[in-house]
Amino acid sequence: MASIMEDEGLSLIVRKAIADENKLTYAGVFACISLGAYSSLEAVGLTATVAPRLAAHGVATNMIAGYHHDHIFVQTELADLAISVLQELSASQAMLDSESPDN
């Protein structure tokens, strides 16, 4: 899914089955939540909006921006909670957008 080269070495984000098949060691297993909304790579504020809301519920986030969508990696056991929080955030944002004087 992704690779990041750092001074300390190469970090890979791969499906668990692929890591196991290739005998790769890993630090943890996380759920990937892909946000359905298109977000520009130049957009400001998505991570700043999402991460604190999830953190307030005890969900650590690791976000990766793709060209078309953003992807949030969360602890597997907290994935359902994260989705609920994101749905609430999306609903409240939609309400704010509909109340905007520009709409």
Side-chain angles (χ1 to χ4, degrees):
M1 295 182 75
S3 62
I4 302 166
M5 178 55 82
E6 302 174 287
D7 290 341
E8 298 82 2
L10 178 64
S11 295
L12 298 173
I13 299 173
V14 299
R15 296 189 182 281
K16 183 180 181 298
I18 292 172
D20 291 342
E21 181 181 311
N22 290 282
K23 298 178 178 36
L24 301 174
T25 59
Y26 42 88
V29 178
F30 299 88
C32 177
I33 301 170
S34 296
L35 301 181
Y38 171 79
S39 61
S40 166
L41 293 174
E42 297 174 355
V44 175
L46 182 63
T47 300
T49 300
V50 170
R53 185 68 66 96
L54 289 170
H57 289 84
V59 180
T61 60
N62 291 284
M63 296 190 64
I64 295 179
Y67 183 77
H68 296 284
H69 303 283
D70 290 278
H71 310 277
I72 306 171
F73 292 87
V74 302
Q75 303 99 312
T76 302
E77 65 275 9
L78 297 177
D80 289 337
L81 173 59
I83 290 170
S84 294
V85 171
L86 292 169
Q87 288 172 333
E88 288 174 16
L89 180 61
S90 177
S92 68
Q93 186 61 46
M95 181 180 289
L96 290 174
D97 288 345
S98 68
E99 294 174 0
S100 171
D102 294 335
N103 288 337

